[in-house]
Every structure is written in structure tokens, then in C-alpha cells.
Amino acid sequence: MRAKVVEAEVLYTRAVSAYERVGNNRGRADGLLRLGDIQRAQGWEAKAEVSLSEAVAIFELMGNDLDKAEGLLGLGDVQQMQAKNAEAEMSYTEAITTYERVGNERDRANGLLALGGVQKEQGKNAEAEISYTEAVAIYESIGDDRSRANGLLALGDVQNKQGKYAEAKVSYTGAVVTYERVGDDRGRVEWLLRLGDIQKEQGKIVELEASYTGAVKPIKDNRGRVDGLLALGNVQQARGKNSEAEVLYTQAVDMYKRIEYHQAIMEGLLALADVQKEQGKSIEAEASYTEAVATYELVRGYRGRVAGLFALAPAQLAWHKNVEAEVSFTKVVAICKHSKDDWGRAAGLVGLGNAQQRQGKNAEAEVSYTEAVATYERVGDDWGGRPHGLLALGDVQKEQGKNAEAEASYTKAVAAYERIWGFQDGLKGLLALRNVQNEQGKNAEAEAPYTTASA
């Protein structure tokens, strides 16, 4: 199958070149659109982005709004896959505007659904709620029940994230009624899982287990059944029944493998690794984490690879495998840099610094922490990443006897902690600042943080 896909890419590439030679822009743009679809399906997001961007540009020159909008939707998809969420939001928005202008309501609704997804990725839940609500209304007006149910499910998700549990339940209920009417068992399973999420947030463990058990029952939907097994594992883990959770997660992973649902295999392996780690089964947990990362790399998903490595690397630190953790965090930093994911790169740099510091590589750790802090400052993260990075930077500077630099780092960390979270969260930074000032003989300066910390 993969060989045929590669062959198709070669053929479309040749066709695009041939159309370009004879000056057939329409044929070239159509070829680029199909080429981008093939590349996207194979996980070649960067290549697909180039093909689709070129197709969109040609369609725009031709004044072909409909095909341009189709290209923009595909372009938004591959941008989102690479965590280029701001660019994806722009692509989706332009597509939606085009579809609205030409009166294509179905594709406008599809665009709104995609836009809501990328807004949710960025934490813009209020904006996503507006997009999903508008999409649901359009689907209802054109009589597309299945798409309307999908929209209601997504709407319930962002309402749930905002703590609007009553509204989320209404949305989920509207979705399940529609799914049952059109005979969509998969959709019903999705609803039960979402309902379970709400009950989990509210601490309703008995109701939660009932919902997840219901998700396991539709035998004819193998994927839905296995999703339910994974969810039931979550319930057992939440109850502290780790051995039972491990059995359920193992069953889920095995079933996902049988139906070749790679994304879910990764999620199941990460859950399995977590519960193995909680039981002190470090060898089994590391094997599960490693397999998850390998699976992520197999399907070439950017977010998947990073998620797998972010799970594996802290576990390696916990097991004192600092060399291996350094390798894992180095991969995270490289992937995030390539994908222009500054937030992920900064978090990876902090982890990298930690692994280096534990090996006595203080100079390298200082470089990593410094770069992390600079990145957090550039993206405007003063809510956790920057002060934590400053605190780590101060620690490694102090270990090298750079007390003046450490004092400056601790001072900035304390100011950030106190400004955002209040005194208690700045306590560690205050005590570190006091200690380094004492070491420099700055007793008067040290007295102020000491008095504050002791109050």
C-alpha cells in the first residue's frame, strides 16, 4: 500500500512539472492540490504545506475562489499538524470567508469546525465555542445530522474545558440523540466517553464507570469498544487500582494494534507506561514509553513524537538515567525548533538543562536554561515557564560559584512568582536568594528576604 502511495506521489510530481512546462496553470494547481493531499496522508506535513501553498497561490491568480478555499482548508490542516496554529487559524479563516462569499454553506461549516479545533489547541476556548456554535447552526439548516452531531460533540468539549458543565451536557445529549437517530454507534461511544470526562471532573466515579462501561458494549464498533477499555483503565487508576488498570490498558493496546489504530496505540502505551511507573515497574514502563515514541515516529506526527518524548524523558530522569534523558530532551528541542514550537522548545530546554545539571555539566546546563528563559520571554510566558527557568538558572549559576549572576536570576524569579501567584509560590526563590546573598556577605540584603520568608 505504501509503495503505491509513493508511486502516486511520483506520478503527480511529474504531472505538475509537465503542466508547468506547457503553461497549464489550472492543471498544475489541480496536481499540486492532489499531491498535497497524498503528502498530508503520509504525514509529510512540510512537503504538503509547500504543495498546497503553491496551489492556493495559483488559484488566487486565476480568480478561482472555490478551489482556492479547498486548498486553504488543506493548508490549515497541515499547518495545524506542525503546531503552526496561528498560520492554520489564518488559513481556515480565509477559507471560511471565501465560502461565505460564494454561498457554499456546507464547506463553510466544515471550515468553522476546523477553525474551532485550532482555536481550542491555542486555549482560545471562548472563540472555539463561537465557531462550533455557528457550524452546528449551519449543519442544522442544511439537514446534515451527522455533521451537526460531530459539531455538538466538539462544542461540548470546549464548554467542558471552560467549566460550563451544564451547557456541555446539553451539547453532548444533543449529539447522542442525533447519533442514535442516524444509527451511528461510533458517535454514541464518543458521547459516552465525553460524558465520562464531565463526571470525572465532578468526581462522580460511580457514574463515570457506568458511562465508560457503556462505551465498551457496542461490540460491532471495535474502535469504540477499545476506547472504552482505555477509559475504564483511567477509572481504575484514579481509584488507585493500578494492577487492574494495567490489565485494561494492555488489552486496549493489543486491540488497537489489531485494528492498526496508530494514534490510539500511542495513547494506550503512554497510559500503560504511567501506571507501570506508579507501581515501580521501571523496566516495563521504559519499554512502554520507548515503544510509544517509536510508534509516534512511525506515523510521523509532530505532536505525537514530542508528546512521547516528553513522557519518556522525565521518566528517565526519575530513574536516574540522565544520559538517556539528555538524548530525549535534545530530540524534543530539535523537533520543536524545526516546527517553530517555541513553547515546547523552551520546556524541552529546561528538561535538557536538568539532565545536564545532574551529570555535573553545569556550563551546558546554564546555556540550556538561559536559552529557555529567553524563549519564554520572547513568547510572553511569565506564568510558570519563565520563573521556573530562572530558578533553575540561578541554581546552576550558584553551583559554579557565579553568585552575582545567581542573585540576579533568583531576584527575577521571586518578582515573577510574587506578581503572578503570590508570596507562597515565591518562597523557594526567596530562600535561594537569601542563601546566595549570605554567601556573598550581603547580610543586610539577605535580611529582607529572610524576614519575609519567616513571617
Side-chain angles (χ1 to χ4, degrees), residues 331-354:
K331 289 181 181 178
V332 168
V333 171
I335 295 169
C336 291
K337 182 178 181 180
H338 176 73
S339 301
K340 298 180 180 178
D341 178 1
D342 286 336
W343 299 83
R345 180 166 168 266
L349 283 164
V350 171
L352 177 59
N354 196 341

Side-chain angles (χ1 to χ4, degrees), residues 142-171:
I142 62 177
D144 186 344
D145 285 341
R146 195 180 300 272
S147 296
R148 175 177 172 269
N150 292 338
L152 283 167
L153 208 57
L155 177 59
D157 287 345
V158 293
Q159 289 168 331
N160 189 26
K161 282 181 176 291
Q162 296 174 86
K164 298 180 177 180
Y165 301 126
E167 293 93 327
K169 192 169 184 178
V170 169
S171 296

Side-chain angles (χ1 to χ4, degrees), residues 11-44:
L11 291 173
Y12 273 117
T13 301
R14 289 175 181 171
V16 168
S17 298
Y19 282 127
E20 186 174 12
R21 279 197 306 273
V22 299
N24 185 335
N25 281 337
R26 175 61 199 241
R28 180 167 163 245
D30 285 341
L32 285 164
L33 204 59
R34 301 289 81 81
L35 180 60
D37 288 342
I38 289 172
Q39 292 165 333
R40 175 177 52 173
Q42 289 302 299
W44 301 327

Side-chain angles (χ1 to χ4, degrees), residues 212-213 216-217 219 221-234 236 242-261 264-273 275-276 288 291:
Y212 286 162
T213 301
V216 176
K217 288 182 179 177
I219 302 297
D221 183 350
N222 287 329
R223 180 175 156 187
R225 182 172 183 273
V226 73
D227 282 351
L229 284 170
L230 196 63
L232 281 173
N234 290 336
Q236 298 302 334
N242 290 326
S243 59
E244 292 89 335
E246 184 178 1
V247 171
L248 289 165
Y249 289 147
T250 302
Q251 290 176 354
V253 168
D254 289 343
M255 289 182 69
Y256 282 137
K257 287 179 178 178
R258 284 203 295 274
I259 61 177
E260 297 184 348
Y261 184 19
I265 291 171
M266 304 173 225
E267 294 172 3
L269 283 166
L270 287 180
L272 177 60
V275 80
Q276 288 168 332
S288 297
E291 187 180 354

Side-chain angles (χ1 to χ4, degrees), residues 69 72-73 77 88-89 91-97 99 104-119 131-132 135 138-139:
L72 283 166
L73 281 184
D77 289 345
E89 188 171 0
S91 297
Y92 288 141
T93 301
E94 189 176 352
I96 291 163
T97 302
Y99 283 130
N104 186 332
E105 288 295 275
R106 181 180 299 280
D107 285 327
R108 182 163 81 94
N110 293 339
L112 284 162
L113 208 58
L115 177 62
V118 80
Q119 289 168 329
S131 298
Y132 287 141
I138 295 172
Y139 286 133

